[in-house]
Amino acid sequence: MEKLRIFYLKYKHAIPLIIYGIIYMTWFAWLEKNTTGHYRIIHMAADDYIPFCEVFVIPYFLWFAYVSAVVIYFFFKDKENYYRTCIFLFTGMTIFLIVSTLWPNGQHLRPAVMPRDNIFTRMVAALYRTDTPTNLWPSIHVYNSLGAHFAIIRSKCFEKKKGIRIGSLILAVSIIMATMFIKQHSVFDVLTAFVMAAVMYTLVYRYDLLIAVREFRNKRKAKPQIG
């Protein structure tokens, strides 16, 4: 029992991550199932000038490992930055879910027929079969990539690890480009994700929302109770 208590105290910060993960996946699955028609088409003229380049499916899929690795690293190594990263990611992902629920959206950018037959186009085709061209705005691939990179460059853990910081930047940029080159997102989705990330960066890292919340809670605890 004592070992269980110690384990809980050591890793209880996983609870918000688990709860939110369940809520997000359930909500997103519902959106994917129910957003089948009558949705707003997202398109910009710039989309028509971006060529389809299937090799970018590699960084697109690396997004899953990239964001997960950043969260897991800070979970074990830096609890403060873990919370900041979670606040950043969860806020943007929740806004995305709300937008997708209230303003169903989609795109018609995907090629009807693959221009070539190779391992990369087959990977893209498999992605298309499992991921509908709906619920795109703003791009969570873009937003979370920026969030993961911000977490790395703002952490003292990587302050002197230039290679990791540069590698993170290259990977984040590659993922962002991938969203457009494999026709998963419109330029509009990418730009709005940048705007949302800029706002959250200011709140989480410049204003330090985590400290602000803690100070507010401490003031409420210290406030004398009347009666």
Side-chain angles (χ1 to χ4, degrees):
M1 186 62 73
E2 181 62 20
K3 288 183 179 180
L4 187 62
R5 189 182 73 84
I6 293 173
F7 180 86
Y8 168 77
L9 292 175
K10 187 176 181 180
Y11 297 116
K12 65 179 181 180
H13 52 295
I15 295 175
L17 179 63
I18 294 170
I19 293 174
Y20 186 79
I22 295 171
I23 293 172
Y24 180 84
M25 292 308 298
T26 303
W27 194 341
F28 183 76
W30 180 87
L31 286 170
E32 285 287 280
K33 183 178 179 181
N34 290 277
T35 308
T36 56
H38 305 292
Y39 52 78
R40 184 184 298 274
I41 301 298
I42 295 177
H43 181 268
M44 290 184 72
D47 297 328
D48 301 328
Y49 294 95
I50 299 175
F52 174 79
C53 188
E54 64 271 22
V55 72
F56 275 91
V57 73
I58 299 300
Y60 187 87
F61 278 130
L62 284 176
W63 173 82
F64 296 96
Y66 176 49
V67 176
S68 299
V70 170
V71 173
I72 292 171
Y73 177 85
F74 287 122
F75 175 84
F76 288 106
K77 297 292 186 177
D78 187 345
K79 193 182 294 186
E80 288 290 309
N81 271 311
Y82 163 77
Y83 281 124
R84 288 189 180 91
T85 304
C86 285
I87 289 172
F88 189 103
L89 300 182
F90 294 176
T91 302
M93 291 162 72
T94 303
I95 292 172
F96 158 76
L97 290 172
I98 293 171
V99 169
S100 297
T101 302
L102 299 179
W103 295 281
N105 54 85
Q107 49 99 329
H108 293 162
L109 300 173
R110 294 177 175 182
V113 178
M114 289 296 168
R116 293 165 289 279
D117 181 24
N118 55 51
I119 187 171
F120 301 118
T121 54
R122 280 178 237 138
M123 290 172 68
V124 174
L127 172 64
Y128 286 176
R129 287 193 296 271
T130 57
D131 187 16
T132 68
T134 58
N135 309 312
L136 308 164
W137 170 48
S139 170
I140 289 302
H141 251 69
V142 172
Y143 178 83
N144 280 6
S145 296
L146 292 170
H149 182 61
F150 292 156
I152 288 174
I153 63 174
R154 293 290 299 190
S155 171
K156 291 183 178 179
C157 297
F158 300 104
E159 200 169 28
K160 297 181 179 179
K161 297 182 179 180
K162 189 176 179 181
I164 293 177
R165 291 158 65 94
I166 293 175
S168 172
L169 176 61
I170 293 171
L171 182 54
V173 170
S174 299
I175 293 169
I176 292 167
M177 292 172 64
T179 64
M180 295 175 284
F181 278 118
I182 66 170
K183 301 300 178 178
Q184 278 290 89
H185 285 281
S186 164
V187 173
F188 182 76
D189 304 328
V190 174
L191 293 177
T192 49
F194 265 88
V195 171
M196 189 165 70
V199 172
M200 285 307 300
Y201 179 86
T202 301
L203 292 175
V204 174
Y205 293 105
R206 295 291 187 186
Y207 175 63
D208 207 332
L209 192 59
L210 180 61
I211 291 178
V213 170
R214 284 179 175 168
E215 288 179 349
F216 176 76
R217 290 175 60 186
N218 290 336
K219 286 180 180 178
R220 290 198 63 182
K221 287 180 180 179
K223 189 177 180 180
Q225 300 295 319
I226 299 175

